Amino acid sequence: MGQVVGIPGIPANGPVKVALVAGLLLAAPGLAWNGARATESEPVASPRATVVLASEMAAVAPGQSFRLMLRQRLAPGWHTYWTNPGDAGQPPELVLDLPAGASAGPLQFPAPERIPLGPLVNFGYEGRADFPLTVTVPGDLAPGQVFTVQGSGNWLVCEKVCIPEEGSFRLDLPVEAKPRPDAALSADFAEAEAALPRPSPWVARAGFDGARGALALDGTELGPGAVRQAFFFPAEWGAVDNAAPQPLSLRDGGLVLGLSRGQGDAPKDRLEGVVAITDAAGTRAAYAVSAAIGPVPVAAEGAPAVTEGVPATTAGVPAGAAAPRAAVPGIGLLQAALWAALGGLLLNLMPCVFPILAMKAIGLARLSGEARRRVRAHAASYCAGVVLSFLVLGGGLLALRAAGGVAGWGFQFTQPVFVAVMAWLMLLVGLNLSGVFAFGGPVSAGGGLAARGGHSGSFLTGVLAVLVATPCTAPFMAAALGAALLLPALAALAVFAALGIGMALPYALLALFPGLAERLPRPGPWMERLRQFLAFPMYGAAAWLAWVLAQQSGPDGVLLVLGGAVLVGLAAWAWGQAQRTPEGLLQRASRGLAALAILAGLAGLTRLDTAPAPRVAEAGGEAWSEARLAALRAAGRPVFVNLTAAWCITCKVNERVALDQPSVQDAFSRRGVTVLEGDWTRGDPAITALLRAHGRDGVPLYLLYPAGGGEPAVLPQILTEGIVLKALDDTLHGVAGTERGGRGTT
């Protein structure tokens, strides 16, 4: 049994008090245990942890395999360890004493969490941890006998100090002709299996060069719109630096995690471990990877890095928990604000803004030392004008968003019209940067106001700088515009404030250190080349949004958005021609052509909602509908409902590693199960209602309806073959269909 040690505030010679406190701890939430079922051993309890050995079977059958599970419930503040404990610790161990002819596999470890402790980082579990293992019963046992499992285990639990604990377990399971599951524990075993790392369906590559390295995963399901965060847990100590950040770079068809070398030997052939990925819906799943060592994978050029692997991130969020929401797919709020500040800083290099900054810098350099205090006050007025102007811009966009009745977080990406408009906006920004057209500058209108003396003049100079900056629209500024349409109000305003801070930063630094003005590069042709180069990330963003639309509206939707893009390009060209043409008939005709092209493009948006969406299901899949489900249930048929979406990475992986596997398809067919697949790619209201009826805000959702009626079994969001097959066995109770079911059968 676990050793009971003194508790602060209780004398060591007070066994009654110790027993009383231990009893209270066992009764506390998270540490309580039934202990009365024959499928669970007597608990090994201490004030820090309660541990039992549980069986998924109430009765076992000769020659059959079944699962046991070492279950730990930890007191608040205490944790235990993964197979690689990180910078310190020790994983739990279990040694079984089985009857002759029986065998047992190793303990299986769920995906860990990061547990920072000062400068160290451990890998393990807080609150609870379940470690399943497989046991095979001897084939020569006869019904009526008892299969006895005895075992001894040891585990380390830590808070501010670490306490090694140990205990013994015993289970006496009856032997019957057929195995008999313990229905009360079925959900717990399914949850434990879902928490285990699954084999990665993606190609993994890794490499190191000195202290730096990277891990890459290549797969069509990965990309900026699908992955929010990722973290790599090495299988062996010393392969990587556990405490170092792991910046995440996303590209279409893959991701790259930056790594730092650990204190151990560098991997020579393969880098093995577990990658925990949080998808765009906030679902965390883990994948076992074995990456071939080669050249260091290169992060996608121009892709923003999401720093993962520091205590403030969600690397340790338990499976299925929601992670903090992101500003745009794959970017957290903090990262979005940092990139917005960088975008504001970049605006100062645009041809429309840089001359203003340069002239101000020269003026500051000429000021005497006595004037610096006054100039710094004026600099504060200028910075206030910049930041407040960006906040006004952000507030205006938020007002437009409210007037448009935008639904919750990220819901717009289920709407093809929104995606198409964003793609055209990115294209317009790129064409503007490429010099196809320009917005009419407000310099002449605001120059007189900015020229006024005093703090009002400095403030209005900041306002003018923002006005002349908006036609330049640096790439990160465009990302902030998109974020303002997606983020909650306060978060969106924070992004715009960061834009203003970034833009005002050079002038603030020049006011504090006027000598820096002499080191500024002078205006020249390089500014125009920089502007044109920055158009290409915008074109790339437009292309990615067109791909998103392809998943929502199929070929017809892509044709509409590309045709609209041609019209947008025509409008931009015609407007540019009007700007370069003297006042007259030709100029008016060019402006009219631009207006007609924009109107024609907008008219095409009305057809996007009627464009047929592509089938998310595999070939032969049957579409879900309330009527079809009701008809099948009325006929007494078992039904499996799969609610999915084209942009849902968890859904795609579940289909590849579980639902599309031959064993699962054969089980569906043999049992006459009809599979209905609901496509939420475009936010179908009926599917939304079904999700909410089961307490879900997004996909995936898997429902297994039994034959003959009854409530459906809700499967975990992370599937394996075993979970699906076990659910079929438990829910259908051996039902075998007389006609072939499977995908698309009736």
Side-chain angles (χ1 to χ4, degrees):
M1 300 292 289
Q3 180 185 5
V4 179
V5 299
I7 303 175
I10 300 178
N13 61 353
V16 174
K17 292 185 178 180
V18 172
L20 176 60
V21 173
L24 291 174
L25 285 167
L26 289 175
L31 286 179
W33 225 290
N34 188 320
R37 287 195 293 268
T39 52
E40 289 183 341
S41 69
E42 287 295 322
V44 176
S46 77
R48 300 162 295 278
T50 302
V51 184
V52 302
L53 185 65
S55 168
E56 71 172 333
M57 294 295 173
V60 299
Q64 298 292 312
S65 296
F66 70 104
R67 290 177 298 178
L68 298 176
M69 185 158 61
L70 187 69
R71 312 188 71 189
Q72 294 184 336
R73 298 298 178 266
L74 303 167
W78 292 83
H79 61 267
T80 190
Y81 294 95
W82 187 49
T83 177
N84 171 15
D87 290 328
Q90 178 179 333
E93 296 178 349
L94 178 67
V95 178
L96 295 181
D97 182 10
L98 300 173
S103 62
L107 282 179
Q108 296 176 284
F109 286 74
E113 309 169 22
R114 297 179 71 258
I115 305 175
L117 293 170
L120 304 180
V121 170
N122 293 333
F123 301 149
Y125 317 94
E126 296 178 307
R128 59 179 293 177
D130 294 327
F131 307 95
L133 71 156
T134 300
V135 173
T136 302
V137 180
D140 57 1
L141 289 183
Q145 293 182 310
V146 174
F147 180 68
T148 299
V149 177
Q150 297 186 86
S152 60
N154 63 79
W155 50 91
L156 184 68
V157 291
C158 297
E159 191 207 27
K160 295 178 181 178
V161 297
C162 290
I163 307 294
E165 296 188 347
E166 61 182 18
S168 299
F169 311 96
R170 180 186 176 101
L171 290 171
D172 294 307
L173 304 173
V175 179
E176 298 179 359
K178 293 183 178 180
R180 177 164 49 88
D182 183 346
L185 289 178
S186 293
D188 294 330
F189 273 88
E191 183 179 354
E193 183 173 349
L196 297 175
R198 296 182 288 178
S200 171
W202 308 298
V203 176
R205 300 175 287 114
F208 290 91
D209 183 7
R212 294 295 175 184
L215 170 70
L217 296 181
D218 301 322
T220 56
E221 298 90 352
L222 304 172
V227 177
R228 181 181 297 178
Q229 291 177 331
F231 188 84
F232 173 68
F233 296 92
E236 299 292 338
W237 178 87
V240 303
D241 184 346
N242 300 324
Q246 296 183 4
L248 169 64
S249 173
L250 298 167
R251 67 182 190 282
D252 289 339
L255 62 83
V256 176
L257 277 171
L259 304 176
S260 298
R261 273 280 307 278
Q263 301 178 25
D265 295 333
K268 295 181 180 179
D269 298 320
R270 307 197 76 82
L271 177 65
E272 298 184 338
V274 169
V275 175
I277 295 177
T278 302
D279 66 13
T283 301
R284 183 179 186 257
Y287 305 91
V289 298
S290 178
I293 298 296
V296 179
V298 179
E301 294 185 5
V306 182
T307 300
E308 177 75 46
V310 293
T313 65
T314 59
V317 177
R325 287 172 168 175
V328 291
I331 305 178
L333 174 58
L334 178 60
Q335 287 77 25
L338 291 174
W339 282 95
L342 180 59
L345 185 64
L346 189 62
L347 280 174
N348 290 290
L349 298 179
M350 295 294 100
C352 49
V353 179
F354 188 85
I356 295 176
L357 180 65
M359 288 186 292
K360 292 291 182 183
I362 294 171
L364 287 171
R366 293 173 179 171
L367 290 174
S368 63
E370 290 77 13
R372 289 185 181 181
R373 186 173 183 179
R374 179 169 172 263
V375 171
R376 288 167 183 167
H378 280 264
S381 299
Y382 169 83
C383 295
V386 171
V387 174
L388 289 177
S389 296
F390 272 110
L391 288 175
V392 169
L393 285 175
L397 283 175
L398 291 176
L400 291 174
R401 183 179 77 172
V406 175
W409 187 289
F411 186 79
Q412 297 89 334
F413 278 104
T414 68
Q415 305 301 315
V417 170
F418 175 82
V419 176
V421 170
M422 290 298 295
W424 293 345
L425 173 63
M426 297 298 103
L427 177 61
L428 271 177
V429 171
L431 293 173
N432 172 249
L433 291 171
S434 294
V436 175
F437 74 101
F439 293 106
V443 179
S444 58
L449 292 173
R452 293 170 53 184
H455 288 284
S456 61
S458 296
F459 180 87
L460 291 171
T461 299
V463 175
L464 178 62
V466 174
L467 292 176
V468 298
T470 50
C472 290
T473 318
F476 304 108
M477 172 73 174
L481 294 175
L485 296 174
L486 299 174
L487 286 168
L490 291 178
L493 289 176
V495 172
F496 275 91
L499 269 166
I501 292 171
M503 184 174 178
L505 182 61
Y507 189 62
L509 291 176
L510 290 171
L512 293 173
F513 309 103
L516 293 176
E518 299 177 358
R519 302 185 180 182
L520 284 176
R522 296 295 179 255
W526 67 270
M527 294 185 303
E528 188 61 31
R529 287 194 290 268
L530 175 64
R531 171 191 170 110
Q532 294 178 7
F533 171 77
L534 292 174
F536 291 95
M538 295 297 97
Y539 296 142
W544 175 75
L545 287 167
W547 175 85
V548 172
L549 193 70
Q551 314 307 305
Q552 296 174 322
S553 300
D556 291 349
V558 173
L559 177 61
L560 288 172
V561 77
L562 292 181
V566 172
L567 292 171
V568 167
L570 174 61
W573 174 81
W575 191 260
Q577 292 301 309
Q579 292 175 326
R580 300 180 183 93
T581 303
E583 186 73 31
L585 179 61
L586 182 58
Q587 185 187 72
R588 290 193 294 273
S590 297
R591 289 177 176 174
L593 177 60
L596 288 175
I598 290 294
L599 290 175
L602 294 176
L605 291 177
T606 60
R607 300 179 58 189
L608 270 179
D609 284 328
T610 60
R615 289 290 303 129
V616 171
E618 299 292 331
E622 186 173 352
W624 173 90
S625 69
E626 292 183 37
R628 180 57 177 153
L629 177 61
L632 290 169
R633 301 213 66 200
R637 297 285 300 275
V639 181
F640 182 82
V641 174
N642 170 18
L643 301 187
T644 181
W647 37 259
C648 172
I649 181 175
T650 303
C651 307
K652 293 295 186 182
V653 174
N654 284 341
E655 290 168 8
R656 182 186 292 194
V657 304
L659 298 180
D660 292 342
Q661 292 299 311
S663 60
V664 173
Q665 290 295 299
D666 181 65
F668 282 150
S669 180
R670 285 186 293 102
R671 296 177 181 273
V673 177
T674 299
V675 177
L676 301 182
E677 298 179 344
D679 183 2
W680 203 57
T681 301
R682 294 174 61 167
D684 186 304
I687 295 177
T688 302
L690 182 60
L691 288 167
R692 291 177 178 172
H694 291 277
R696 297 285 178 84
D697 292 324
V699 292
L701 175 63
Y702 305 105
L703 305 173
L704 179 57
Y705 292 86
E711 291 299 314
V714 181
L715 276 65
Q717 288 183 300
I718 307 298
L719 296 182
T720 64
E721 287 183 70
I723 288 176
V724 179
L725 295 175
K726 183 71 164 49
L728 290 171
D729 289 337
D730 292 345
T731 304
L732 303 185
H733 304 297
V735 171
T738 56
E739 55 180 322
R740 295 191 66 81
R743 295 196 172 208
T745 59
T746 58

